[in-house]
Amino acid sequence: MLSAPAFFWYNGVVTRPKKGGPPVTAHPHLRQSAIPAAVAALLKTLHEAGFSAYPVGGCVRDLLLGRQPHDWDVTTNALPRQSEELLQSCRVIETGVQHGTITVLAGDCPVELTSFRGEGGYADGRHPDTVTFGVTLQQDLSRRDFTIGAMAWDTEKNCLIDPFGGQQDLQNRLIRAVGDPDCRFAEDGLRILRGLRFAAELGFAVEPETAAALRRNAPLLQNLSPERVRAELQKLICGRAAAPVLREYIEVIGVVLPELLPMVGFAQNNPHHNRDVWEHTLTVLENIPAEPVLRWAALLHDAEKPACCTVDAEGIRHFHGHQQKSAETAEAMLRRLHCETRLIADVTELIKIHDIRFPATVETATRWAGRWGEKRFLQFTELRRADTLGQAHPGEAEPYYRALRAAYDEAKRQNACFTVRQLAVSGDDLTAIGLSGPAVGEALRRLLRLVQGGTLPNERAALLAAARQQE
């Protein structure tokens, strides 16, 4: 049985609730100016019609953290049909009307508007079997997953409604389930990943009882759709504290990404490495920009090292072919999670090339950027840097990275020729001097190599002369 605390703390000041109501207090970050005009208009419309309406959940959490929310959720005692009638001037999408939720496209700001509701059992581990409207705000907040998302903002009175100590958990940097964590996770197993995702994004710890329940209920993750798992995992691995969360909860993550588990504790016994495969991977992850392609590549670039391991006569371990094998495993994993085709291709290609080494010269930067494309070349430089930072000689990472980027920048300054499209001649020009069919493409590629190698200037006359010599 959930109950409101008798009081809670805000900056050392005790605020006692009104009799029979949840704790409330003013807060310096809850400013009317933070509310987008379209959201303020929606709240005003509901209030003037006699209904209660409160910003709730993530937007309130973000405001308390001093951030401007990107998404706005509002909870109201108006039923969905009543809300739709009042908001006829807006486009409304019935995203989950049977569960009390509609999406109101108010200006450029979509608002998830949900009626106060209570919920029955969760037979499918995702959706409530029954939804009951007409409950109180506190009952509505009690069904939410974590305390830091179970707060509402009374904009009319400019006070925070916080029945479960969410503000105190924000101050203590804790992820805590509302009420019994086992019940919360049994209702929807995705909350397990959501809790870890919040910990990774915010840099918070998971409260001990909630952490124990996360581990106990990890098998529930097997019942979730790939799309829902992917969405949470991708946000998790892009979080600022992704590495410590993955380290502490690898047995939970391993339920949905079992391919990671062989890396844990697998010693490399190699002059180039002073960490096991998993610790190396986490170091790479935390040293690469928080972009999905780069973070997935960092997480999976050495996934098949344990399977590719051989040991020589001196006891040194080698991992021949792990790049290709890891790319194949990454592709299978990302397809299983229903990732976008473009992301899968980018991640797998980066993994294949992550161990390539070449001198940081303008010529080599031009050649490799031309072969891979400029975007992938720049992604490679980030992965190469992070990978080296996770090895036995991390001091080599920054000088090589800076030299490689400088070589690329100089190539750009010199208008270097990265692709055949940048040559001063085209296929039509070569056709005009007598080449035809496959010979045109072969000649263009040969000219590109000569230009990139510095033996031929990218000038029309010189290129045509070279092409004629090869006829």
Side-chain angles (χ1 to χ4, degrees):
M1 181 78 178
L2 298 171
S3 60
F7 56 84
F8 73 106
W9 290 89
Y10 166 60
N11 288 346
V13 178
V14 179
T15 303
R16 298 185 182 277
K18 295 179 180 180
K19 186 175 181 180
V24 297
T25 189
H27 192 284
H29 288 314
L30 300 183
R31 299 186 301 271
Q32 298 290 333
S33 60
I35 306 175
V39 179
L42 181 149
L43 293 169
K44 182 178 179 182
T45 298
L46 290 167
H47 291 156
E48 289 181 346
F51 293 107
S52 300
Y54 309 93
V56 69
C59 61
V60 177
R61 179 195 67 232
D62 288 346
L63 288 168
L64 295 178
L65 290 170
R67 305 172 179 178
Q68 181 61 33
H70 296 294
D71 302 303
W72 287 81
D73 292 343
V74 171
T75 187
T76 179
N77 61 350
L79 298 177
R81 297 302 179 198
Q82 293 172 318
S83 296
E84 289 187 58
E85 290 177 5
L86 290 169
L87 300 168
Q88 291 182 12
S89 62
C90 302
R91 184 183 171 198
V92 173
I93 303 173
E94 295 184 345
T95 45
V97 68
Q98 71 275 23
H99 297 120
T101 300
I102 59 175
T103 299
V104 182
L105 302 180
D108 295 329
C109 185
V111 179
E112 292 289 319
L113 181 61
T114 303
S115 301
F116 295 173
R117 73 186 195 202
E119 298 173 347
Y122 285 72
D124 66 354
R126 178 181 177 185
H127 301 106
D129 299 332
T130 59
V131 172
T132 304
F133 300 119
V135 302
T136 65
L137 173 61
Q138 182 164 341
Q139 288 172 310
D140 179 81
L141 295 175
S142 72
R143 67 177 175 80
R144 297 173 185 267
D145 47 13
F146 301 105
T147 60
I148 61 172
M151 295 179 284
W153 177 16
D154 186 332
T155 57
E156 291 186 302
K157 298 178 181 177
N158 196 32
C159 60
L160 177 68
I161 301 172
D162 179 18
F164 305 106
Q167 184 175 225
Q168 185 171 341
D169 284 337
L170 277 182
Q171 293 169 349
N172 293 333
R173 303 175 65 80
L174 283 178
I175 305 297
R176 182 194 306 273
V178 173
D180 183 343
D182 288 300
C183 291
R184 296 291 80 76
F185 298 140
E187 290 166 352
D188 185 352
L190 191 69
R191 290 171 170 174
I192 296 168
L193 289 181
R194 278 173 54 82
L196 296 182
R197 186 253 290 183
F198 287 139
E201 287 183 329
L202 299 172
F204 285 14
V206 182
E207 177 271 330
E209 290 186 12
T210 302
L214 281 169
R215 294 186 167 93
R216 283 194 299 271
N217 290 277
L220 295 173
L221 296 174
Q222 297 171 332
N223 304 324
L224 301 173
S225 71
E227 294 83 359
R228 299 181 82 211
V229 170
R230 178 202 65 226
E232 294 298 332
L233 281 177
Q234 189 155 290
K235 292 175 184 177
L236 190 162
I237 67 170
C238 289
R240 58 176 176 165
V245 169
L246 288 168
R247 179 181 291 111
E248 186 171 356
Y249 296 96
I250 181 56
E251 76 279 19
V252 176
I253 302 298
V255 174
V256 287
L257 295 180
E259 294 89 345
L260 301 181
L261 297 177
M263 291 192 280
V264 179
F266 193 92
Q268 302 202 64
N269 293 348
N270 185 297
H272 302 294
H273 289 279
N274 55 0
R275 298 175 175 87
D276 66 42
V277 179
W278 182 234
E279 285 301 320
H280 163 74
T281 295
L282 295 180
T283 304
V284 177
L285 187 78
E286 63 190 358
N287 281 289
I288 206 164
E291 301 169 10
V293 167
L294 294 177
R295 287 292 174 100
W296 279 117
L299 182 66
L300 305 176
H301 76 287
D302 281 349
E304 287 300 323
K305 266 193 170 180
C308 293
C309 179
T310 58
V311 184
D312 65 20
E314 296 179 352
I316 303 299
R317 289 185 167 181
H318 303 276
F319 307 97
H320 301 299
H322 80 276
Q323 302 92 336
Q324 179 65 34
K325 290 291 186 182
S326 296
E328 292 170 1
T329 294
E331 180 176 5
M333 294 170 66
L334 297 176
R335 288 194 185 282
R336 188 176 72 231
L337 293 172
H338 295 186
C339 291
E340 296 177 358
T341 301
R342 181 72 266 168
L343 180 140
I344 295 172
D346 287 343
V347 170
T348 54
E349 289 304 312
L350 273 176
I351 292 174
K352 289 177 186 177
I353 66 177
H354 79 268
D355 258 349
I356 291 177
R357 300 169 191 274
F358 49 84
T361 65
V362 173
E363 180 184 339
T364 55
T366 302
R367 183 182 306 123
W368 287 105
R371 180 178 299 182
W372 296 334
E374 293 180 68
K375 179 180 178 181
R376 184 162 295 152
F377 177 84
L378 294 176
Q379 290 173 329
F380 164 82
T381 65
E382 295 290 354
L383 184 55
R384 178 77 261 147
R385 170 185 172 275
D387 197 17
T388 306
L389 286 171
Q391 296 176 0
H393 305 288
E396 299 173 358
E398 288 297 337
Y400 180 68
Y401 173 78
R402 288 195 294 269
L404 199 55
R405 293 298 286 260
Y408 169 77
D409 291 341
E410 178 61 20
K412 293 284 285 184
R413 190 189 68 78
Q414 296 177 9
N415 294 316
C417 197
F418 294 115
T419 69
V420 294
R421 291 191 299 274
Q422 295 172 289
L423 289 171
V425 295
S426 67
D428 290 341
D429 295 322
L430 300 189
T431 299
I433 64 172
L435 297 180
S436 62
V440 174
E442 292 172 5
L444 287 171
R445 289 189 290 274
R446 184 171 60 252
L447 293 174
L448 178 64
R449 289 194 295 272
L450 292 171
V451 170
Q452 289 181 340
T455 60
L456 186 67
N458 188 20
E459 299 172 358
R460 178 180 172 80
L463 294 175
L464 289 175
R468 288 190 180 96
Q469 291 175 2
Q470 299 296 325
E471 287 187 69

